[in-house]
Amino acid sequence: MPTDHRPALRDFLRTTFHHRCPHCGEGPLFQGAYTLHTTCEACGADLEGLHGAHFGGPIILGYAVGGLAGLAAFALLFWRFGYAPWVLWTTLLVAVAAIVLTFRHCKAFWTWWLWVTGELGQD
Ligand SMILES: [Zn+2]
């Protein structure tokens, strides 16, 4: 469905990093650690979407972030210390930590993306 929402850096940052409703910028996105509100507490905008709009996207994004962080860690450690078993374990730890620590941001980003592309409820 076409949308008239124009992406703005301010909206992107507010939703992705401050976890606020992409529609009004006031209501919180999350009601728990990783659970989104179904509708915005401030403006009532749909934050859930239809047909599992949130399913998969944030997970794929989180794994991509974790993979890139792990790859960067491996490259730096391998370049500095060469191969050692602890380099692989550290790489894995960095990747998992990156996934866990950025998952809320990934989910918030995905919510912003769904809103910008018109996949969330429109006015
Ligand atoms: Zn709102």
Side-chain angles (χ1 to χ4, degrees):
M1 177 163 85
T3 179
D4 61 350
H5 295 168
R6 297 193 179 162
L9 180 61
R10 181 197 57 188
D11 296 337
F12 162 77
L13 293 173
R14 187 179 56 211
T15 300
T16 301
F17 296 104
H18 294 285
H19 305 152
R20 294 293 162 190
C21 168
H23 184 73
C24 69
E26 297 296 324
L29 282 182
F30 293 96
Q31 61 180 333
Y34 296 111
T35 306
L36 289 170
H37 285 285
T38 55
T39 57
C40 175
E41 290 181 336
C43 71
D46 174 27
L47 297 175
E48 191 174 50
L50 298 174
H51 311 299
H54 273 283
F55 186 79
I59 294 171
I60 292 169
L61 199 58
Y63 277 104
V65 168
L68 289 174
L71 195 61
F74 179 79
L76 290 172
L77 292 172
F78 185 75
W79 174 63
R80 175 66 178 90
F81 300 104
Y83 174 75
W86 68 267
V87 169
L88 293 179
W89 287 110
T90 303
T91 297
L92 181 64
L93 186 66
V94 167
V96 170
I99 291 168
V100 171
L101 295 174
T102 63
F103 190 67
R104 275 171 67 96
H105 298 301
C106 291
K107 204 163 184 175
F109 167 79
W110 195 255
T111 303
W112 173 81
W113 178 253
L114 292 175
W115 183 74
V116 165
T117 58
E119 293 295 320
L120 294 183
Q122 303 296 306
D123 301 300

